[in-house]
């Protein structure tokens, strides 16, 4: 007869980012928690033969890094949500949400002009615009906040923020004097720029929360690195890069003294160059991952857990460069960090570079492509959660 071991409790903090294109951060956390609680050996496991060796307590903390889910993360931390209709990435109305707590407003690119809002999911690398983000920005300004968090990422456009600036009252005209709407394609057609009816920014502090450090143009710029995921062919990437060059030259001509220098600035290439336009307006840049981890009080919440489970759609070089799982791992104070992802492009010997104890991927659990299949993804995450639970008990 073996001596019975006293049941113990494992406290897991489930703190993932979204899996872009398939699941929100909240859905990822829910599916993992369901799996962990059903692990064989846990008090939640109901099979007749189950011996209870412990309990898994899950604390759910869906996160964001400036991309999709940033407004949701602010709302989860106690902000109110305000709904507002904006022009989506191709001009069709989109119901956007901003978060506001009376002092700070959070405005998000992904829920105003993001990839997920393209009609029929059809990518529009040249036509998509950041105008809707500008409209939400204006709405946030009308609430008189002390500061606005401009959450950048997940955009459908590569327009250098031209659409956003148009919504804020800048007028871009072609050589025949026709007003341009603001899109990647329109960048090359700009002949003149006027500043008209600009909103009063007053003392409002503008903060860009983004987790990419790319400059506006060049081999590491917005078109080259993020254009292909928005559907741009090699020729379109080149045209967008050239268009952005023309945009910068025209802004310099129109009296923006910093226009050329800011194009080189780290983060100018976030959200198809909306980062650049925000910097032109005087915004300060912070790490999106760190901003939202602070807002959701991660440092305190991690203190009461034994293990942290984080993740994102794709674990890759960008993750190592400081995306959300890396920021979570950096703050976890020596607790074991398990990452879960749709796919991982990193060999296991590189996990330790950001202190990941283990990486689970959906790709290891199926032969099918789960990247566009939320139901399958949630089911696989449930299985992974169960396996993680069983490995911990
Ligand atoms: N359910 C899934 N199954 C497999 N791969 C996924 C899944 N969801 C997302 N991915 C992969 O992750 C990529 C998005 O990466 P992610 O880390 O979520 O976003 P980003 O890099 O923009 O922050 C997708 O293009 C896809 O390759
Ligand atoms: O919107 C984009 O162009 C990119 C970079 O900001 O976003 P993500 O990192 O979500 O792919």
């Amino acid at each position: 007869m073996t001596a019975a071991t006293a049941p113990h409790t494992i406290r897991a903090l489930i703190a993932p980012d979204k899996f872009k294109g398939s699941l929100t951060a909240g859905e990822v956390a829910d599916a993992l928690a369901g799996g962990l609680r059903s692990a064989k050996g846990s008090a939640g496991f109901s099979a007749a033969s189950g011996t209870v060796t412990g309990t898994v307590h899950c604390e759910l903390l869906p996160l964001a890094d400036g991309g999709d889910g940033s407004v949701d993360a602010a709302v989860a931390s106690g902000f109110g949500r305000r709904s507002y209709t904006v022009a989506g990435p191709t001009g069709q109305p989109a119901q956007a949400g901003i978060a506001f707590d009376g002092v700070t407003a959070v405005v998000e690119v992904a829920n105003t002009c993001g990839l997920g809002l393209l009609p029929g999911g059809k990518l529009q690398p040249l036509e998509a615009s950041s105008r809707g983000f500008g409209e939400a920005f204006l709405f946030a300004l009308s609430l008189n906040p002390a500061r606005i968090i401009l959450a950048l990422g997940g955009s459908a456009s590569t327009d250098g923020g031209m659409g956003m600036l148009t919504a804020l009252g800048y007028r871009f005209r072609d050589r025949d004097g026709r007003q341009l709407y603001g899109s990647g394609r329109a960048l090359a057609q700009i002949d003149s720029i006027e500043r008209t009816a600009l909103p009063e920014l007053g003392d409002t502090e503008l903060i860009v929360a983004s987790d990419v450090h790319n400059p506006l143009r060049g081999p590491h710029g917005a078109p080259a690195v993020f254009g292909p995921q928005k559907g741009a062919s090699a020729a379109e990437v080149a045209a967008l890069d050239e268009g952005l060059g023309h945009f910068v030259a025209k802004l310099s001509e129109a009296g923006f003294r910093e226009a050329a220098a800011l194009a080189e600035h780290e983060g100018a290439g976030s959200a198809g160059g909306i980062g650049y336009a925000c910097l032109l307006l005087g915004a300060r840049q912070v790490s999106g991952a760190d901003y939202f981890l602070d807002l959701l009080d991660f440092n305190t919440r991690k203190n009461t857990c034994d293990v942290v489970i984080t993740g994102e759609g794709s674990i890759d070089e960008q993750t190592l460069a400081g995306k959300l799982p890396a920021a979570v791992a950096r703050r976890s104070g020596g607790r074991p960090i398990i990452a879960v992802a749709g796919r991982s492009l990193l060999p296991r010997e590189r996990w330790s570079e950001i202190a990941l104890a283990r990486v689970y991927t959906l790709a290891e659990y199926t032969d099918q492509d789960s990247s566009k299949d939320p139901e399958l993804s949630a089911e696989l995450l449930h299985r992974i959660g169960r396996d993680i639970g069983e490995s911990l008990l």
Side-chain angles (χ1 to χ4, degrees):
M1 205 175 101
T2 47
T5 347
H8 58 290
T9 300
I10 300 287
R11 291 158 307 170
L13 179 62
I14 306 181
D17 198 355
K18 85 281 174 194
F19 281 22
K20 194 160 84 185
S22 57
L23 296 172
T24 64
E27 289 165 344
V28 172
D30 279 345
L32 284 169
L36 275 148
R37 292 189 187 113
S38 72
K40 188 173 175 184
S42 96
F45 178 68
S46 59
S49 60
T51 311
V52 175
T53 56
T55 308
V56 187
H57 273 307
C58 298
E59 191 178 342
L60 276 57
L61 188 61
L63 293 169
D65 67 0
D68 314 60
S70 295
V71 163
D72 290 344
V75 170
S77 82
F79 283 51
R81 187 191 299 274
R82 309 281 185 109
S83 236
Y84 190 67
T85 305
V86 299
T90 52
Q92 79 299 351
Q95 198 62 29
I98 74 159
F100 186 50
D101 71 351
V103 179
T104 302
V106 179
V107 188
E108 177 185 311
V109 165
N111 78 8
T112 49
C113 51
L115 274 175
L117 296 173
L118 284 166
K122 189 168 177 282
L123 299 171
Q124 299 281 0
L126 296 176
E127 308 307 337
S129 174
S130 59
R131 185 178 178 108
F133 180 65
E135 292 173 352
F137 185 163
L138 263 187
F139 173 57
L141 268 175
S142 74
L143 302 173
N144 281 322
R147 90 181 51 82
I148 301 182
I149 309 302
L150 302 156
L152 305 195
S155 64
S157 53
T158 308
D159 72 351
M162 177 185 174
M164 176 190 90
L165 292 173
T166 307
L168 293 179
Y170 289 81
R171 294 286 164 262
F172 299 88
R173 295 185 194 280
D174 68 12
R175 66 157 72 142
D176 299 319
R178 282 185 303 238
Q179 207 169 302
L180 297 165
Y181 183 78
S183 67
R185 190 189 295 285
L187 289 167
Q189 297 161 16
I190 298 172
D191 187 58
S192 65
I193 305 175
E194 290 160 54
R195 312 180 198 200
T196 60
L198 293 184
E200 206 38 76
L201 289 176
D203 292 337
T204 315
E205 186 187 9
L206 300 181
I207 298 179
V208 170
S210 147
D211 255 18
V212 308
H213 307 292
N214 306 65
L216 186 64
R217 303 181 58 221
H220 303 291
V225 178
F226 301 103
Q229 76 188 26
K230 302 175 191 183
S233 64
E236 287 167 338
V237 164
L240 287 166
D241 201 78
E242 217 167 285
L244 287 170
H246 179 73
F247 182 49
V248 173
K250 284 290 170 186
L251 285 163
S252 301
E253 228 179 88
F256 288 84
R257 279 186 296 128
E258 303 272 276
L262 289 176
E264 306 296 328
H265 197 284
E266 207 178 73
S270 46
I274 298 176
Y276 173 66
C278 293
L279 292 170
L280 277 178
L281 297 177
R284 175 167 69 85
Q285 179 148 6
V286 300
S287 148
D290 283 313
Y291 178 81
F292 287 100
L293 283 165
D294 286 341
L295 193 68
L296 291 160
D297 205 16
F298 178 85
N299 288 8
T300 310
R301 294 172 80 167
K302 64 117 189 343
N303 287 335
T304 50
C305 78
D306 306 302
V307 58
V308 179
I309 303 172
T310 185
E312 62 176 338
S314 176
I315 298 262
D316 47 37
E317 289 291 340
Q318 286 192 26
T319 312
L320 298 183
K323 294 202 90 172
L324 191 112
V328 164
R330 175 166 32 84
R331 290 164 170 246
S332 290
R335 286 166 185 77
I337 316 295
I338 296 172
V340 180
R343 63 169 192 187
S344 169
L345 304 181
L346 296 179
R348 62 187 303 146
E349 55 278 12
R350 301 200 60 194
W351 297 349
S352 60
E353 289 179 30
I354 51 166
L356 301 178
R358 169 86 204 253
V359 177
Y360 289 83
T361 64
L362 303 195
E364 293 165 88
Y365 279 70
T366 183
D367 293 333
Q368 296 174 52
D369 176 10
S370 54
S371 63
K372 302 264 173 330
D373 188 337
E375 213 172 303
L376 173 64
S377 300
E379 187 188 313
L380 297 172
L381 279 169
H382 191 279
R383 278 170 52 196
I384 290 175
R386 199 180 58 209
D387 287 352
I388 294 175
E390 288 173 7
S391 75
L392 295 171
L393 284 167

